[in-house]
Amino acid sequence: MATFLASLGRFSYRRRRLVALIWVALLLAVGGAAATATSTPGMNVSMPGTEAQRAFDLLDERFPQSHADGATAQMVFQAPKGETITEGAHKATIDRTVARLAKDPEVVAVADPYTVKALSEDGRTAYARVTYERGMGDVPEESQDKLLAIADAARADGLTVETGGTALETPPATGAGEIVGVMVAAVVLVITFGSLVAAGMPLVTALVGVGIGVSGILALGSVLDLDGTTSILAAMIGLAVGIDYALFIVSRHRAERAAGHDGETAAGRAVGTAGSAVVFAGLTVLIALAGLAVVGVPMLTKMGLAAAATVAIAVLVAVTLVPAVLGFAGDRVLGRRARHAAAEAGAAPADADTPDAGADPATPDTDSRPALGTRWARLVLRRPVAVLLTAVIGLGAIAVPATQLELGMPDDGSRAEETTQRRAYDLLSENFGPGANGPLMLVVDTTGVDADPQRAVGRVAERVGALDGVLMVTEPQFNEAGNTALLTVVPATGPTAKETEDLVHAIRDTAADSRADTGAEALVTGATAMNIDFSEKLNDALVPYLALVVGLAFLLLMVVFRSVLVPLKAALGFLLSVLAALGAVVAVFQWGWLADLLGVSQTGPIVSMAPIFLVGVVFGLAMDYEVFLVTRMREAYVHGESPHEAIVTGFTHGARVVAAAAVIMISVFAGFIASDEPMIKMMGFGLAIAVFFDAFVVRMAIVPAVLALLGRSAWWLPKWLDRALPSVDVEGEALAKT
């Protein structure tokens, strides 16, 4: 591995113009394809194997004109105090508004509030339900503008008019927060390298990789049904790992230049050593993201594979484009002091922030103060038990809120109070009950009924209406064939309430009894039921998913480190950091701690996809730091140092760069906290805090403490397993002999 990558690094350095031209041409080609592609589709939350999805499929077959999976809007009207909307000018305004709504060619149905009796008891409030042909997030902007303009016109006639629903969903947009994150990353790089040229390399190469990855997602969006959230998550992850991967290779290149190697040789050795760590770290990320396919949710699978493709591009950029750019930079990649010192000495440039190659990093020169990483490693070696207990207890305490994790999908109730969607949500809750914001759809298939289908449906409706928590059951609507009925069940509680989830299960239990009595099969669906099934499926898949990715990565890390205990320690450390991150997410987004500071307008259940996606991404990133830091320790140990000396050497060479990489990744992720999209905001915060816990607590404290306690046992590997595992030479032993 190291020999091949070293050859690739030297080739890229030597033929830098060709390599750079290929990447630029690829960026332009994919970017052009993205620019000419049709817009990305809306979010399609299909859930194969669930009752809600089977009911949706049945509706599409038996009620094709209903567009059950189409986006919907609720326009809520309220008359001033002391007035009603059942007669006079207010009724005329609502009639006129309903007629205008129906004229939009994207609209397939408008439920007149007077016809369906969507009127409050006091006669002041009513709402019209609008159904669109296209799905959530796919309604054209022109139709959304028409919807809001019609509401404005009705408002001008003296009514309070607010509009909500999935029809107003728009693709998430990037903002200033992401730019601030990249700027912070640039500052950290300048401080780390002391050279603007060296600092700019990771940024430029990472942007090239992200540009290709995101452009590819946009170009294939309509073909593969990828929504806007997919491209933002891919950009978030690709940018963070792209900067980090390039940072490690550039840093190692500077160290090799300090050892007296010429540019081409240094680039080859950097790609052969740090590049090997990049490849294996990237593989762990790919395993974690691609492993999301086992959950069985198509949307999550597509998100994971798209992000994995972007990470794969980042790895290829790091081992090819980065050495090419190093060739263009030449000596300018070194700090100014290092170049001046080299010019005065007439010798090969030495990097001011890298220990002298001929000195023992574990025992630095007495004339110079040891680096902070060296001093910290020695402190941990003196007090390994105290450091280990402090770190574990601290992260364990932060993880406690994760035991109260509640999953759900965001709705208009989670929006800011000043938005029309939130005001419409509140008006419906106040005047029609919280359940009006999340009605359930009951689909009754009577093809198995021998006698009277209408009587069978009536018995189902009667049983469901008698359940606790049911506010209302509408009259059944039969299809043209008369073999399927559609009823609306309005719960007494809101869409994300635990009581609503219990009610869905109670209706399904009742439906099973009804089928045994009447032969009619009743299925519960609708957005609320779909979200409940979605959350339950993701919750059930979390443990198997964890077992898969941890198991595969454990095998991969055994190959890298030639050890059993080091990969085991890495996996347990990851579990600790991800549980702490989930605890922090629950505390902020579910309990409301620091909610105002982070711009969280409404607390509630955690977005269903966030925890499992967070687990996958954090696992891959956690293994990055494990590989980068412990590989240097393994390298020193293989070259003859004692276990304690190897720990100090690993921190001397890698701690500063790992810390810089973590700060950069935290900055990039934190930039996405400013997003208005709940999923993006949660992921930005969760990933940022998880990287902080993993890099600075687990990898910088727990890892050296455990290795210090294990001593030589840390690198133990049974002989039979050593013979069975392939040798990949991540430490660059073959390069050391050249």
Side-chain angles (χ1 to χ4, degrees):
M1 171 69 77
T3 304
F4 168 76
L5 289 176
S7 299
L8 180 61
R10 289 193 299 270
F11 172 83
S12 299
Y13 186 97
R14 188 170 59 252
R15 303 296 300 274
R16 47 189 172 271
R17 290 181 177 83
L18 174 63
V19 172
L21 180 63
I22 291 173
W23 280 109
V24 171
L26 184 60
L27 176 62
L28 293 176
V30 179
T36 58
T38 56
S39 59
T40 56
M43 184 178 292
N44 179 19
V45 186
S46 62
M47 292 289 297
T50 63
E51 178 174 318
Q53 187 62 49
R54 285 193 292 120
F56 264 127
D57 295 340
L58 186 64
L59 280 173
D60 285 339
E61 177 188 342
R62 307 280 176 87
F63 291 87
Q65 75 284 356
S66 69
H67 293 272
D69 57 349
T72 60
Q74 288 79 240
M75 187 171 289
V76 188
F77 309 90
Q78 187 172 64
K81 289 184 178 180
E83 302 179 20
T84 67
I85 56 172
T86 56
E87 57 187 16
H90 294 327
K91 183 178 185 303
T93 296
I94 295 176
D95 289 339
R96 188 165 54 250
T97 301
V98 169
R100 292 185 63 190
L101 289 169
K103 290 180 180 179
D104 187 342
E106 294 289 336
V107 172
V108 295
V110 181
D112 187 308
Y114 301 104
T115 303
V116 300
K117 299 180 180 179
L119 305 172
S120 62
E121 291 183 2
D122 61 4
R124 281 190 61 207
T125 310
Y127 68 92
R129 183 179 177 87
V130 187
T131 303
Y132 287 81
E133 183 175 2
R134 306 196 196 192
M136 179 177 64
D138 208 18
V139 176
E141 185 177 349
E142 181 182 355
S143 290
Q144 293 177 337
D145 292 340
K146 283 182 182 179
L147 181 66
L148 296 176
I150 291 171
D152 288 338
R155 195 176 293 119
D157 289 341
L159 292 174
T160 296
V161 185
E162 304 296 347
T163 309
T166 58
L168 291 177
E169 291 287 341
T170 56
T174 55
E178 294 89 322
I179 299 174
V180 171
V182 174
M183 292 175 62
V184 172
V187 172
V188 174
L189 287 168
V190 171
I191 295 173
T192 302
F193 288 136
S195 165
L196 289 175
V197 173
M201 286 182 186
L203 287 175
V204 171
T205 55
L207 289 173
V208 169
V210 169
I212 294 172
V214 173
S215 296
I217 293 171
L218 295 176
L220 298 173
S222 58
V223 178
L224 301 179
D225 198 24
L226 304 174
D227 63 26
T229 304
T230 302
S231 60
I232 292 182
L233 289 173
M236 181 194 305
I237 297 165
L239 186 61
V241 300
I243 294 175
D244 274 12
Y245 293 166
L247 167 64
F248 281 100
I249 290 178
V250 172
S251 177
R252 188 60 183 255
H253 175 82
R254 284 157 56 98
E256 296 294 341
R257 291 297 307 274
H261 297 293
D262 61 74
E264 181 178 332
T265 303
R269 295 175 71 89
V271 175
T273 52
S276 296
V278 164
V279 170
F280 277 93
L283 281 175
T284 61
V285 181
L286 294 179
I287 289 172
L289 292 173
L292 290 169
V294 304
V295 178
V297 179
M299 180 176 63
L300 194 61
T301 299
K302 292 172 184 177
M303 283 184 176
L305 293 177
T310 305
V311 171
I313 293 170
V315 172
L316 292 174
V317 166
V319 298
T320 57
L321 183 58
V322 169
V325 175
L326 287 170
F328 286 115
D331 287 347
R332 287 174 295 174
V333 73
L334 303 173
R336 182 177 300 177
R337 284 188 303 168
R339 294 200 305 271
H340 288 173
E344 292 174 2
D351 191 349
D353 62 5
T354 306
D356 182 70
D360 180 5
T363 55
D365 235 317
T366 55
D367 296 335
S368 60
R369 190 182 181 190
L372 179 60
T374 304
R375 300 199 302 274
W376 171 251
R378 290 174 176 168
L379 172 63
V380 174
L381 291 176
R382 288 196 299 270
R383 300 284 188 273
V385 175
V387 171
L388 180 61
L389 290 177
T390 301
V392 170
I393 292 173
L395 290 180
I398 298 172
V400 169
T403 59
Q404 305 299 316
L405 175 68
E406 296 177 6
L407 298 181
M409 291 296 285
D411 55 23
D412 288 344
S414 62
R415 295 184 181 275
E417 293 182 358
E418 64 271 13
T419 62
T420 185
Q421 295 98 316
R422 174 62 184 278
R423 290 196 292 262
Y425 184 97
D426 291 341
L427 279 174
L428 284 174
S429 296
E430 292 165 6
N431 294 278
F432 299 93
N437 284 292
L440 304 172
M441 299 169 66
L442 190 63
V443 185
V444 185
D445 183 1
T446 61
T447 53
V449 178
D450 296 329
D452 186 354
Q454 293 190 359
R455 183 171 178 274
V457 172
R459 291 184 62 183
V460 172
E462 184 180 350
R463 287 185 173 184
V464 171
L467 292 174
D468 292 337
V470 173
L471 201 61
M472 181 182 67
V473 179
T474 64
E475 292 295 324
Q477 299 176 11
F478 281 86
N479 64 341
E480 293 181 2
N483 59 5
T484 307
L486 176 62
L487 305 90
T488 299
V489 180
V490 180
T493 50
T496 60
K498 181 66 168 61
E499 293 82 358
T500 303
E501 180 182 344
D502 294 338
L503 175 61
V504 169
H505 292 300
I507 293 175
R508 287 173 174 167
D509 292 340
T510 300
D513 296 337
S514 297
R515 182 177 184 181
D517 294 343
T518 67
E521 181 180 17
L523 303 173
V524 184
T525 188
T528 300
M530 180 69 82
N531 290 340
I532 290 171
D533 287 352
F534 190 54
S535 300
E536 289 180 350
K537 187 164 186 176
L538 291 176
N539 195 42
D540 293 342
L542 188 57
V543 173
Y545 171 69
L546 265 174
L548 174 70
V549 296
V550 171
L552 289 176
F554 177 80
L555 295 176
L556 186 64
L557 292 178
M558 272 206 304
V559 173
V560 175
F561 295 127
R562 318 300 296 183
S563 165
V564 173
L565 296 180
V566 170
L568 180 61
K569 174 246 338 149
L572 293 177
F574 151 73
L575 290 175
L576 192 57
S577 60
V578 80
L579 287 175
L582 286 174
V585 169
V586 169
V588 172
F589 292 91
Q590 189 173 308
W591 293 357
W593 296 4
L594 303 178
D596 293 337
L597 180 64
L598 295 172
V600 179
S601 58
Q602 181 72 18
T603 59
I606 304 304
V607 177
S608 301
M609 289 186 298
I612 198 164
F613 202 87
L614 181 71
V615 165
V617 176
V618 171
F619 181 78
L621 300 181
M623 295 306 102
D624 281 0
Y625 298 120
E626 179 76 14
V627 170
F628 290 137
L629 190 61
V630 181
T631 294
R632 294 304 296 259
M633 300 179 191
R634 168 74 182 173
E635 185 178 339
Y637 180 75
V638 167
H639 292 160
E641 293 186 9
S642 69
H644 280 207
E645 290 172 339
I647 294 171
V648 176
T649 299
F651 268 81
T652 300
H653 286 291
R656 180 181 180 184
V657 179
V658 168
V663 172
I664 289 169
M665 197 170 280
I666 291 169
S667 303
V668 172
F669 289 147
F672 288 85
I673 297 176
S675 174
D676 293 330
E677 179 69 22
M679 172 74 172
I680 302 298
K681 183 185 286 287
M682 281 187 191
M683 288 299 298
F685 173 79
L687 289 173
I689 199 72
V691 169
F692 174 79
F693 290 151
D694 196 85
F696 292 106
V697 181
V698 175
R699 309 304 154 189
M700 293 289 189
I702 294 178
V703 166
V706 171
L707 291 178
L709 293 172
L710 291 176
R712 294 187 182 276
S713 300
W715 308 107
W716 170 78
L717 185 69
K719 291 184 178 180
W720 65 268
L721 187 56
D722 188 34
R723 291 192 297 269
L725 293 176
S727 178
V728 294
D729 188 21
V730 177
E731 295 83 17
E733 292 181 70
L735 298 179
K737 299 174 183 177
T738 61

